[in-house]
Each structure stands twice: as structure tokens, then as C-alpha cells.
Amino acid sequence: MDPAPSGSTTSNADRPSVKALQLAELLEHIALFLADSRSDIKRAGLVCKAWSPIFTARLWHTLDLPPRNRQTAIVALLPRYGCHVRSLILVGQFDQDAFFKSCRNLTLLDLTLAPLNVESLSNMIKCLPYLQVLRFNACYGMSLAWFSPLKSLEYLQELTFMNDADIYHDKTILDMNMLDMDMDMDTLDTDNLDTDNQDMGNQGSSELPEGDEDFNAPSPDIVFASEDDEMDEETYMDNLKPDYLGEFLVARASTLRKLNFEGSDVLGLKLFEAYDPPMDDTEVERPSSLVDERPPVLALRHINFSKTSVYRTTLVIEPLLRQCPDLEVLDISGCIEESWINFEWSILSQNCLKLTTLNVSGFIELDNDQLVQVVRACLGLRVLIASQSNIASKVLDAIVDKWIGGQNPFLELDVSWCAEVDQESLEKVVHNITTLKRLNFSWCQIDTSIFQRPWCCLELEGLEAQGLDPPSLCNSEDVEWAVFKQLSRLRHLRRLALGSNEMRVSKDRGFGLLLADKGTGQCGLSHLECLELVGHEDLPLGQAEMEVIADGFPRLKRFHFGLNLVPQEMQKWLAERRPDIQQEENVVYH
């Protein structure tokens, strides 16, 4: 840039604007940057009295406590520091009175295997009116009756009611010394730490209960749900339980964005039953709020009904989807029960036009004609997960046609274990959709000659192509070279799962093409973080191949390999050369 002429001046208007941060704002940024290191946060909080409140709040912002951390020590600290806790994750039994009364400003509560009932749930809600995210994972006594008290959570945006939680693994035990600031603050005025000990904001009209309130008062209007016995439809309809779920959704219609029912059931009710017209001409007293005699539009963006049991989808699932015009993510994977066979797919193309992600894995009765209509109608659809389903090639063709027609980018396709997808349709996908980020076509009767066709999806970050058949027409000697040459062009790959029991993973057959080569300018797979290999059982990896893995993938963190593919001595060699790589041998072969 040329210097300004001598004698010229620069006006303030010409100078770039710089926003000056106040000390408190700067400290907030620092505390957020140090969020992963409790020891650093604590040291920063001990610098001086002015810094203490900000770093103490960050230190206590999130508590993720395994059962062994449910000690008297931390409970004793809650009355002083619980006001700072915003996210609380608990597993198993815990002192509800201590945690809920002390952590009144919680916005996220995640409970796994916790014993609760409607009464204790009602008391929890009285104590925690500001909850925005509430997750129940396989809690004891879970029933649809729980939804009745949840209606009063004015700020609730996400609710998980999951009965399929992963096996809990014990987490790192918190050091109590990292939480108690007083242990090292003898010279500081600790009154500063109590400045935030008041309810968050003054939002809404909800008031927290006083400490002497009766927290065990019964809720006589609550009736626990019980499991349904097998019955015919007439008997089923005559024995419907109260529609707690529908009442909850209506109450939270404008705030709730995410609903997760994974592994649970919605048996024994008819959603929005209160809005049903009377079956005869008799006068039926209806709530005054039902002026339109139809449910309100729901603000839901994300719905997960994976592995969910229903008596009929027409009773719960379809009425719900009709009220979700802004729905973006729908997961109904693993719904293999007969009651899902007649699911009305046209609802998605008629009512959920903003859909971006659809997971139908495990469906063996997909209506492919209707699914094609969904692809065409939902212009923003960019993720389709259909593993182990009867999805047909016509759906893939519709995706390609939409992309060629200039619609929004398509990002992810999973058709693994799908026997009705042919190679021609999949070749159209890799040849045309340049925006694709993740692709999985493992174990779906595709052969390795697909790698000899031109690929345009060079921005792939994840590729899974295991269990491929051998090509029938091309020279088998050239198969591996074609595969690895194509892979060497996918420079953004972070995850790669490749091979079959007939594929030879050898440096002499092209595996070395994945290495970076400064001489030729070849970048290699330098971003790869996860590698899964299946290979010819009679041709295990030798040192030449292991050197490619050790030297060619500097960011690799996980290496998963087929049974007997990597000899013990080679595993030991890699462990010494790259101790940062986690090695896993597949003990079950598909």
C-alpha cells in the first residue's frame, strides 16, 4: 500500500472500526476458550477477586456426574455453587432434593436410569422452570403420564423420552478440588462468588418454590400408563388412555423444536383425541380452547421415532406429522413391526416440505413410488439414510434428476445392505452429485468396477464400500489399482471403510497411491481419521502396507481391520511407530 502523501491526514471515518471489549466480556471469552480444562479455569479464577465470579460460573457450568461421583462432598458444595450450573447429566439414583433445589437455573437436564415418578417429576419442574432441554434415558417408571406435568415448562425446546439408552460407561471422576474455589481462596473476598446466586433473568411468571414447601404432595389427577395386552381394534379404541402426549404437544406447540422417542412406545392412545369430531349427533362438551376443532401447528423441527412401537401409525404418527410443516429431520429407522407397514408416506410430500434429513433404515416395506414423490417435493432434502431397507434404484434416480435440475445440494446417501439398488443407479450418483459428503454402499451387491467409472463427488469426507463383489468383465489384475487410484483423488476423506474377503490390500497393487508424493504433487489422504479395512484372508498386511498407514495418514486415530488381516507382529510394530492410533480387530465377519 502506498504511503499517504506528506501532510495529509486520515479522518476518523476512514479508519477501520475496532470494537473495544469490556473486561467482563474479555474474561467470558477466555473462560469459554478454557472450557475443556477445569484446572486452567480454576487457576484463572484465583488471579484476583474481579476474575473470580466469571471463572467460577464457567467451572460449574456443566456437571457430568457418573454414579461414583454422587458423593457427600459435591452435594455439600451445591448450596453455594449450584446457582452456576446450567447443564446437569446424572446416571442412576441421586439426591433429587439437593440437586434440584440448588441448581435452579438449569437449562439442560439429562437423566439416565434415574428412579422417578409423576410426583417427583412435578416437584422437579417446580424447581427448574427454565429448562430448555430435558432428556430421560431408560429411567425407571417411565410412562406417558409423565407428559402431563411437563406441559408447564414454558421454555422447553427439546424433549427426549428414550428407552433405548446405550450401556453406561463410567466416566472420568471429577476431582472435588477442581470444583471448590474456597480451598485456594483464603486471601479473596468470596462474597463475590454469590453475586449470581439468583434466578436466571425474570423470564415468564414461574416462581421457584420456597425451601419449606411440601415437595411430596400427591398429584391425584395423574394416572400411570400400563402396557397394552393384545386386543382387537374395537377393544383397543374402547380402552384408550388419556392423551397426555397430545395435550403436552398442544401446550408446547410454539416452543418445542425436538422430540425424541427412540426405543419407546406410543401404545394405548390416540393423538389429539380431544380434537376428534363426535361420532354421532349427540352434543359433546368440548374445551373452549378448541375453537378451530383441529390441533395447532407445531414448531417441531426434529422428530425421532426410531424403534418405536405403535398400534397403528394412523393413530399417532400421521396425525403428528400433519401438524409439522417446518419439520426438517425425521428418523423412523428400525421400525420393523407390522404396524408400520401401512405408513402413509404421502404425508411427507404433502405436509413436510421442508424436510432435509430422512432416516428409514430397516424398513422392508418402503413404498418406493411415494418415496420418489418425497424426493421431488422436499426440495431441501439432502440426507437419505436407508440401510437394510428395500429402497429401489428409482429413488436414487430421482435424487440424481433433482440434482441435475439445479436443486439444493445433496450431502449424504446410505444404501448399505440394500439388495434392490443396482450398480447403474449408484454410478449415476457418484458421477453426477458433486456435493456429496458421505456415501455408504457396503454389502449391497455392487462390484468393484464402480471405481473404474468417472467420479465427480471429489469432496467426499466419508466413504464406506465394504463387501463389494468382484467385477465380471474387467481384468481382475487391475481391480485394486483402479480402486486405490480413485480413492487417491478423494483428498478430503476423513473416514474410509473398504474391502472384501477377495480384495488384495497391497502396496504392489496400488495401496501406495494413498501416500502423499511431493514429487508428483499428490496430496494423498492426509485428512483421514478413521480407516476400516477388510482384505484377502490369505494376504495379510506386511510392513510395506503398515508403513503406508503409519506415514501416509498423519491424522489417523482409529484403525479397524478384518480378522487375521494384520498379524500380531505388525500390530505391535504400528503401536510402537504410531501409539496415537487405536487398533481394533473385527472378531465378527459379515
Side-chain angles (χ1 to χ4, degrees), residues 321-336:
L321 293 177
R322 286 192 182 96
Q323 304 309 125
C324 300
D326 295 323
L327 188 66
E328 297 174 357
V329 179
L330 176 62
D331 186 346
I332 49 176
S333 60
C335 297
I336 59 177

Side-chain angles (χ1 to χ4, degrees), residues 9 48 87 113 165 226 235 240 276 352 375 404 416 465 538 570 590:
T9 59
C48 65
S87 298
L113 301 174
S226 60
T235 305
L240 290 178
D276 285 348
C352 305
V375 170
I404 294 176
S416 56
D538 294 331
M570 288 293 96
H590 296 294

Side-chain angles (χ1 to χ4, degrees), residues 470-488:
S472 56
L473 299 178
C474 67
N475 186 349
S476 61
E477 295 295 323
D478 300 329
V479 171
E480 288 85 3
W481 278 99
V483 171
F484 293 120
K485 184 177 181 180
Q486 192 67 260
L487 291 176
S488 67

Side-chain angles (χ1 to χ4, degrees), residues 103-174:
C103 305
R104 291 183 166 191
N105 294 326
L106 278 182
T107 58
L108 183 152
L109 178 61
D110 187 318
L111 300 178
T112 299
L113 301 174
L116 294 170
N117 55 39
V118 174
E119 286 75 19
S120 61
L121 193 65
S122 299
N123 297 329
M124 177 195 78
I125 292 169
K126 292 178 183 177
C127 291
L128 309 175
Y130 308 117
L131 280 177
Q132 298 175 19
V133 179
L134 180 57
R135 299 170 183 157
F136 299 114
N137 304 320
C139 291
Y140 299 105
M142 285 173 62
S143 78
L144 293 174
W146 286 19
F147 284 93
S148 185
L150 297 181
K151 292 185 296 185
S152 62
L153 289 174
E154 296 182 29
Y155 308 106
L156 193 64
Q157 298 178 20
E158 175 186 337
L159 177 65
T160 291
F161 201 74
M162 187 165 66
N163 201 29
D164 194 33
D166 294 334
I167 297 175
Y168 176 76
H169 298 286
D170 217 1
K171 303 177 183 178
T172 302
I173 304 302
L174 281 179

Side-chain angles (χ1 to χ4, degrees), residues 232-295:
D232 58 40
E233 183 170 1
E234 183 177 354
T235 305
Y236 182 90
M237 298 301 292
D238 288 341
N239 291 276
L240 290 178
K241 301 166 188 173
D243 182 17
Y244 295 117
L245 176 58
E247 294 172 0
F248 164 77
L249 291 173
V250 170
R252 299 273 59 83
S254 62
T255 62
L256 195 68
R257 297 294 189 272
K258 183 174 181 179
L259 180 64
N260 184 349
F261 249 93
E262 182 177 348
S264 300
D265 70 63
V266 282
L267 298 169
L269 76 150
K270 186 177 189 301
L271 196 66
F272 305 133
E273 183 185 19
Y275 293 84
D276 285 348
M279 300 299 294
D280 50 37
D281 296 332
T282 59
E283 290 293 327
V284 178
E285 183 178 352
R286 300 168 62 80
S288 58
S289 60
L290 307 186
V291 292
D292 294 331
E293 297 188 353
R294 61 176 180 269

Side-chain angles (χ1 to χ4, degrees), residues 2-193:
D2 295 333
S6 177
S8 66
T9 59
T10 303
S11 66
N12 291 334
D14 296 332
R15 294 174 181 169
S17 60
V18 177
K19 180 182 178 181
L21 292 177
Q22 299 297 320
L23 177 61
E25 293 179 277
L26 180 60
L27 294 179
E28 288 282 2
H29 284 288
I30 295 173
L32 188 60
F33 180 77
L34 299 175
D36 294 333
S37 174
R38 290 185 180 274
S39 58
D40 289 340
I41 293 176
K42 183 173 182 179
R43 280 194 291 267
L46 296 173
V47 170
C48 65
K49 289 187 291 185
W51 289 31
S52 297
I54 291 176
F55 287 96
T56 299
R58 175 52 57 181
L59 189 68
W60 280 82
H61 181 278
T62 300
L63 291 183
D64 188 349
L65 304 176
R68 287 170 53 198
N69 237 135
R70 216 66 39 68
Q71 307 162 352
T72 305
I74 196 169
V75 172
L77 294 173
L78 287 175
R80 186 171 185 81
Y81 299 116
C83 61
H84 301 297
V85 181
R86 298 296 183 267
S87 298
L88 179 61
I89 303 171
L90 300 171
V91 178
Q93 191 168 0
F94 62 96
D95 188 337
Q96 298 180 24
D97 204 47
F99 278 93
F100 293 160
K101 285 186 178 181
S102 300
C103 305
R104 291 183 166 191
N105 294 326
L106 278 182
T107 58
L108 183 152
L109 178 61
D110 187 318
L111 300 178
T112 299
L113 301 174
L116 294 170
N117 55 39
V118 174
E119 286 75 19
S120 61
L121 193 65
S122 299
N123 297 329
M124 177 195 78
I125 292 169
K126 292 178 183 177
C127 291
L128 309 175
Y130 308 117
L131 280 177
Q132 298 175 19
V133 179
L134 180 57
R135 299 170 183 157
F136 299 114
N137 304 320
C139 291
Y140 299 105
M142 285 173 62
S143 78
L144 293 174
W146 286 19
F147 284 93
S148 185
L150 297 181
K151 292 185 296 185
S152 62
L153 289 174
E154 296 182 29
Y155 308 106
L156 193 64
Q157 298 178 20
E158 175 186 337
L159 177 65
T160 291
F161 201 74
M162 187 165 66
N163 201 29
D164 194 33
D166 294 334
I167 297 175
Y168 176 76
H169 298 286
D170 217 1
K171 303 177 183 178
T172 302
I173 304 302
L174 281 179
D175 181 358
M176 293 300 105
N177 294 335
M178 290 295 100
L179 290 174
D180 190 0
M181 297 290 286
D182 285 346
M183 297 181 66
D184 298 298
M185 297 183 64
D186 295 337
T187 61
L188 296 181
D189 180 6
T190 55
D191 289 342
N192 276 332
L193 302 182

Side-chain angles (χ1 to χ4, degrees), residues 484-511:
F484 293 120
K485 184 177 181 180
Q486 192 67 260
L487 291 176
S488 67
R489 303 173 64 220
L490 307 179
R491 299 171 183 176
H492 300 279
L493 274 183
R494 297 179 182 274
R495 173 183 172 82
L496 173 62
L498 180 72
S500 69
N501 60 351
E502 299 176 353
M503 184 173 180
R504 291 161 291 189
V505 180
S506 168
K507 189 173 182 180
D508 295 335
R509 294 188 175 277
F511 191 55

Side-chain angles (χ1 to χ4, degrees), residues 228-446:
D228 293 284
D229 297 323
E230 292 187 7
M231 59 184 72
D232 58 40
E233 183 170 1
E234 183 177 354
T235 305
Y236 182 90
M237 298 301 292
D238 288 341
N239 291 276
L240 290 178
K241 301 166 188 173
D243 182 17
Y244 295 117
L245 176 58
E247 294 172 0
F248 164 77
L249 291 173
V250 170
R252 299 273 59 83
S254 62
T255 62
L256 195 68
R257 297 294 189 272
K258 183 174 181 179
L259 180 64
N260 184 349
F261 249 93
E262 182 177 348
S264 300
D265 70 63
V266 282
L267 298 169
L269 76 150
K270 186 177 189 301
L271 196 66
F272 305 133
E273 183 185 19
Y275 293 84
D276 285 348
M279 300 299 294
D280 50 37
D281 296 332
T282 59
E283 290 293 327
V284 178
E285 183 178 352
R286 300 168 62 80
S288 58
S289 60
L290 307 186
V291 292
D292 294 331
E293 297 188 353
R294 61 176 180 269
V297 170
L298 306 179
L300 282 169
R301 304 288 194 276
H302 186 133
I303 294 178
N304 184 351
F305 273 103
S306 173
K307 294 172 279 189
T308 299
S309 297
V310 296
Y311 181 74
R312 279 195 176 180
T313 58
T314 53
L315 296 178
V316 178
I317 308 300
E318 289 152 24
L320 173 60
L321 293 177
R322 286 192 182 96
Q323 304 309 125
C324 300
D326 295 323
L327 188 66
E328 297 174 357
V329 179
L330 176 62
D331 186 346
I332 49 176
S333 60
C335 297
I336 59 177
E337 296 180 355
E338 187 177 354
S339 55
W340 281 87
I341 291 178
N342 296 318
F343 175 67
E344 190 177 337
W345 295 96
S346 61
I347 284 182
L348 301 181
S349 57
Q350 296 171 4
N351 299 84
C352 305
L353 300 181
K354 296 183 180 180
L355 200 65
T356 64
T357 301
L358 178 61
N359 189 338
V360 293
S361 295
F363 262 88
I364 57 174
E365 295 287 345
L366 284 175
D367 186 332
N368 282 284
D369 291 329
Q370 286 295 332
L371 201 53
V372 167
Q373 296 304 316
V374 172
V375 170
R376 292 172 177 170
C378 301
L379 301 183
L381 187 68
R382 60 190 66 181
V383 176
L384 178 59
I385 311 296
S387 176
Q388 302 182 62
S389 72
N390 67 314
I391 189 171
S393 296
K394 63 174 70 175
V395 180
L396 274 63
D397 293 340
I399 293 173
V400 172
D401 292 342
K402 187 173 74 168
W403 163 252
I404 294 176
Q407 301 296 345
N408 292 326
F410 194 81
L411 302 179
E412 181 174 359
L413 177 65
D414 184 346
V415 289
S416 56
W417 299 92
C418 295
E420 298 185 32
V421 171
D422 62 40
Q423 183 140 340
E424 181 181 358
S425 294
L426 195 56
E427 287 177 356
K428 290 179 182 178
V429 170
V430 298
H431 179 65
N432 289 285
I433 304 182
T434 59
T435 57
L436 205 59
K437 297 293 185 183
R438 292 169 295 278
L439 176 62
N440 186 347
F441 55 91
S442 295
W443 314 99
C444 62
Q445 301 181 11
I446 303 297

